[in-house]
Amino acid sequence: MPIRTVYQATIEHTQILDERGVLDPALSKPGTPGILTDEQVLHLYERMLEARAVDERAFVLQRSNRMYTYPQNKGQEAAALGSGFAMRRGTDWIVPCYRENAAMVMHGMPWHHIYLHWMGDERGNVVPPGVRVMPIAVPIGTQMLHATGIAWAAKLRREDAVVITYFGDGATSEGDFHEALNFAATFGVPAIFFCQNNQWAISVPRETQTASETIAQKGLGYGAACQQVDGNDLFAVHKAVYDARERARAGGGVTIIEAMTYRLGDHTTADDARRYRDQAEVEAWQARDPILRTRVYLESKGLWDAQRQRAGEERAKAFATEVVRAAEGIAPPKPEEMFDHLYAEMPPELRLQRDTKRTSSLGQDPSQAGLRSEPQRA
Ligand SMILES: Cc1ncc(C[n+]2csc(CCOP(=O)(O)OP(=O)(O)O)c2C)c(N)n1
Ligand SMILES: [Mg+2]
């Protein structure tokens, strides 16, 4: 037989909670591993309201000059929270990009650190002790290499830890994605590559980004398990990540999950998506808002109603106010703190600068650098 098929594969798309808020009975049978209970959904719904309120408040802060550029997470709450909830806090690692704030917080990163990061305060990147969350990564793709490294270390140390890393559709055009996934799959490390396919990479639509029909199938070439889910479906996201985590723990290696979602806001506060996106497309996705869908589900089960919604939104707004207070209430850093985290053992010239605080605006000791302490006037 001169011609034979040497490889065949399919990519499955899973939806468990549909757009009308109805659960698929076969996929959600009680007792199925990874299927959320009503109590868990209620808990996550409250976290979604908080995440949305904190996100919307960040937008207001930026518009009133109290924050620098901020990338809104709006519309991607089910992807962040469903995935984060499937990981074990303090055991597994969260290696984020910048559109899964709620997953970081769920694993112990304080909300106000995320605000501080976008306020330009380095202390926003400080991870509290014991928290297995990496800081926000803005350089597209770089965090996936870190995730592979962490997962490899966990494997070598025989630790029971699984790493999830987050990235966008656009990031899968970066070399870092391919290198990280290739290494991770080849070495069989316990990692989950979680793509938030929000259909856009700034102003570049997915169709222009890649000729691949799905992002998930990019994992086939590397030997990873590949799956696509409805990213606005809390149940499907949680189940997919739960299964991938169990597979990784059992030595089954890497999974790539493509969560189909949508960036309801602009790329960042420095962007105006109306210049390149159809309003009709945005409206179609607004109807699939993950918060709305989860709410309809809870209401259908008699677990939520308009009155609880009002109270929940009020609580979430008050929560956001507390986050603002925590971020803005922090005392300015002492100038000498800028010397603190660069060297394990500080070189003597830096120690001298720190101890005498003889720094010019260049951050150098004028006498050592041979500079005048005041700029020369013409
Ligand atoms: C290495 C690198 N190249 C370019 C940029 C500029 N940039 C910031 S966000 C972005 C698009 C990312 O799109 P995607 O991966 O889909 O993530 P999304 O913003 O949609 O969540 C680009 C190109 C960057 N931050 N880092
Ligand atoms: Mg994107």
Side-chain angles (χ1 to χ4, degrees):
M1 190 166 49
I3 298 176
R4 61 199 165 90
T5 302
V6 291
Y7 186 72
Q8 250 183 332
T10 49
I11 300 290
E12 285 176 349
H13 174 100
T14 307
Q15 183 189 60
I16 300 177
L17 184 68
D18 73 14
E19 283 87 352
R20 293 165 300 128
V22 178
L23 268 187
D24 182 285
L27 294 177
S28 65
K29 276 208 193 81
T32 308
I35 291 298
L36 295 167
T37 63
D38 285 345
E39 198 180 56
Q40 290 172 328
V41 179
L42 264 177
H43 170 78
L44 289 171
Y45 184 68
E46 295 258 8
R47 304 289 85 69
M48 283 173 136
L49 292 179
E50 276 168 15
R52 180 70 60 95
V54 174
D55 196 64
E56 285 179 342
R57 191 69 63 86
F59 184 85
V60 173
L61 290 178
Q62 193 279 336
R63 287 293 189 261
S64 46
N65 259 339
R66 288 154 76 187
M67 185 177 283
Y68 297 117
T69 305
Y70 175 76
Q72 280 202 277
N73 287 200
K74 191 175 177 174
Q76 302 184 211
E77 292 87 353
L81 284 161
S83 58
F85 196 64
M87 304 302 284
R88 298 160 301 166
R89 183 170 163 154
T91 300
D92 296 328
W93 286 89
I94 307 295
V95 184
C97 172
Y98 49 74
R99 262 191 241 281
E100 43 281 327
N101 293 340
M104 297 174 73
V105 169
M106 179 172 264
H107 283 261
M109 195 70 160
W111 264 121
H112 73 279
H113 280 216
I114 289 169
Y115 270 13
L116 285 171
H117 172 97
W118 299 106
M119 287 170 169
D121 190 322
E122 276 298 331
R123 289 171 296 180
N125 296 325
V126 175
V127 181
V131 169
R132 292 192 157 188
V133 179
M134 293 291 278
I136 288 170
V138 175
I140 298 300
T142 51
Q143 76 282 5
M144 293 182 262
L145 294 161
H146 305 157
T148 294
I150 296 169
W152 191 26
K155 182 172 173 154
L156 292 175
R157 289 176 177 170
R158 298 177 193 281
E159 271 185 32
D160 175 30
V162 179
V163 181
I164 186 167
T165 185
Y166 294 87
F167 51 96
D169 40 300
T172 67
S173 299
E174 290 271 359
D176 288 2
F177 163 76
H178 299 272
E179 292 167 34
L181 188 55
N182 181 57
F183 191 104
T186 306
F187 281 71
V189 306
I192 301 168
F193 281 65
F194 189 89
C195 179
Q196 292 215 55
N197 179 356
N198 63 7
Q199 316 303 324
W200 291 89
I202 313 185
S203 55
V204 179
R206 203 212 64 95
E207 310 79 70
T208 313
Q209 185 66 241
T210 174
S212 186
E213 272 179 63
T214 68
I215 301 288
Q217 77 199 60
K218 294 191 182 195
L220 291 174
Y222 300 111
C226 308
Q227 203 193 338
Q228 192 186 73
V229 293
D230 182 335
N232 289 357
D233 167 356
L234 201 57
F235 283 82
V237 171
H238 180 264
K239 168 81 175 143
V241 177
Y242 180 93
D243 289 347
R245 187 200 81 194
E246 286 306 295
R247 187 180 311 129
R249 287 181 71 202
V254 179
T255 304
I256 175 170
I257 297 168
E258 176 185 11
M260 302 296 277
T261 182
Y262 195 75
R263 195 194 79 207
L264 283 179
D266 295 323
H267 171 66
T268 65
T269 48
D271 176 44
D272 179 359
R274 285 172 304 182
R275 295 172 61 179
Y276 55 83
R277 260 192 341 193
D278 261 2
Q279 189 51 27
E281 176 186 294
V282 179
E283 281 165 17
W285 280 93
Q286 273 165 347
R288 292 179 223 156
D289 185 324
I291 296 190
L292 190 63
R293 193 186 304 190
T294 313
R295 177 181 168 183
V296 170
Y297 168 74
L298 288 171
E299 285 179 349
S300 75
K301 301 216 66 179
L303 297 166
W304 200 257
D305 54 29
Q307 198 188 335
R308 285 186 204 178
Q309 180 67 16
R310 270 194 303 279
E313 282 175 10
E314 281 312 309
R315 270 198 304 280
K317 275 189 196 148
F319 182 82
T321 303
E322 283 309 310
V323 177
V324 177
R325 199 167 290 154
E328 291 188 336
I330 186 168
K334 294 199 184 82
E336 56 268 32
E337 281 177 22
M338 73 175 136
F339 295 97
D340 279 353
H341 301 290
L342 215 48
Y343 293 95
E345 278 175 45
M346 198 178 288
E349 63 275 15
L350 275 186
R351 195 172 321 122
L352 180 71
Q353 281 188 32
R354 184 196 61 190
D355 293 346
T356 59
K357 293 202 207 77
R358 284 189 302 157
T359 55
S360 72
S361 59
L362 292 169
Q364 290 175 305
D365 182 293
S367 64
Q368 286 172 18
L371 298 171
R372 291 163 196 269
S373 46
E374 292 294 325
Q376 208 172 359
R377 287 176 199 283

